[in-house]
Amino acid sequence: MSQNAILVAVEGPQAEEWIGLLRARAGRREVRVWPDSIGDKADIAFAAVWRPPLGLLASLPNLKAIINIGAGVDALLADRSLPDVPVARAAHPDLTRRVVGYVVLHVLAYHNRMRLYQAQQRERRWEAQQHPSSDDVNVGIMGLGVIGGEAAHVLARLGFRVAGWSRTRKSLPGIETFHGAGGLDPFLARSEILVCLLPSTPETNGLLNLALFRKLKRDGAAGGAFVINAARGRLQVDADIVAALNEGALAAATLDVFPHEPLPQASPLWTHPKVTVTPHVAGDISPAAFTDHIIEQIEGFERGQPMAATIDRRQGY
Ligand code: NAP
Ligand code: GLV
């Protein structure tokens, strides 16, 4: 009989690593694994999960808290039976650095005309292009949270004119900020490279659509309007991205996430000459970096401290 056991529910290539590290660092606490060794569900007090099956968490009668092994909690909140216990999400420097690195890589790729040079290389063509100064280029970041705020800061350090858009009013040094429905259009009108770092919620799903792309600034130094979605696929309308690229509202798109993952073989995004596809890898948090944090969260919770980065269920993130 073990009380206060931790259940791990993670699938995929890193599952064994998560289980091994949690077992190594959990001390005397028992680590149970879904689906193979869940044991008596009454023993489980904590669950460390990534996209667990619907209903699993509701089946744990003594669950005290949930730790999401990722920043986005949309998959958890899609479970209508989710028990009413605190949910902490991943807000960790390792994850932030990874996603910010992804965003900076692709902003710089557009800024430095990398797609063009890759095409030129295939033709053995030696031809320098004009590159604007970064302080002539307007980057707009949707979502100024843990990751968006840091991305804004790093891009501003690189000299870009950075603005951000959030739900509530924000003040960040060196960043022009917009918020709420009323702030969206002026934010879009000044943004050439649009970076999406919003959570997927009923308010944000479908936001990256043709009408929005048409509002971006196209006549600036960046040489057109670009979109980088490193957040969630449900934020974007794939057909609208293709339409916006084909009509010129967008010059190119970098997409890490899609409404249906894996991206279906038949999707035109795979082969569109102006699209970069990555398989939802912008921020795969490292098990080695996050395991200690999970254990610290649990130990703090048992001492009566609130867990860090708990979500607001009403807001959906
Ligand atoms: P966060 O700290 O919760 O920040 C979310 C930001 O979005 C906040 O600034 C929030 O505004 C804003 N926001 C939420 N709803 C909004 C709305 N309706 N209108 C305008 N702004 C809104 O989240 P995070 O840790 O930065 O992560 C952001 C998202 O990135 C996650 O939810 C996840 O889906 C995604 N992600 C993807 C990957 C990947 O591998 N592709 C990796 C990590 C994260 P307020 O500041 O006013 O609350
Ligand atoms: C990854 O997609 C995350 O939400 O952390």
Side-chain angles (χ1 to χ4, degrees), residues 62-205:
N62 295 318
L63 189 68
K64 293 180 189 160
I66 299 166
I67 296 157
N68 190 51
I69 302 181
V73 289
D74 42 306
L76 270 187
L77 294 181
D79 184 347
R80 286 168 177 250
S81 69
L82 190 69
D84 187 16
V85 297
V87 175
R89 62 186 197 90
H92 188 278
D94 175 69
L95 182 58
T96 301
R97 278 193 295 267
R98 286 168 189 259
V99 184
V100 171
Y102 181 95
V103 166
V104 171
L105 170 72
H106 292 283
V107 168
L108 289 177
Y110 288 134
H111 180 62
N112 291 294
R113 313 294 194 247
M114 278 311 294
R115 186 176 285 279
L116 199 50
Y117 289 127
Q118 281 163 347
Q120 286 185 193
Q121 183 177 346
R122 286 193 288 274
E123 296 169 12
R124 300 169 185 248
R125 187 148 54 93
W126 182 275
E127 189 182 324
Q129 305 291 333
Q130 292 295 312
H131 298 186
S133 299
S134 54
D135 58 8
D136 285 332
V137 173
N138 294 289
V139 178
I141 301 187
M142 304 180 89
L144 283 177
V146 173
I147 301 173
E150 179 63 10
H153 173 68
V154 173
L155 288 164
R157 284 286 306 275
L158 290 172
F160 291 99
R161 283 192 215 149
V162 182
W165 180 68
S166 50
R167 189 175 57 80
T168 57
R169 186 187 295 276
K170 291 268 171 304
S171 170
L172 279 85
I175 312 295
E176 191 180 2
T177 55
F178 299 83
H179 70 280
L184 184 56
D185 280 5
F187 163 78
L188 295 170
R190 52 75 64 207
S191 296
E192 298 168 270
I193 303 180
L194 184 71
V195 176
C196 184
L197 290 168
L198 291 168
S200 163
T201 70
E203 284 71 43
T204 61
N205 289 337

Side-chain angles (χ1 to χ4, degrees), residues 50-51 68-74 90 95 230-232 257 280 283-285:
W50 179 239
R51 297 179 174 163
N68 190 51
I69 302 181
V73 289
D74 42 306
L95 182 58
R232 278 291 181 276
V257 287
H280 198 147
D284 270 347
I285 195 166

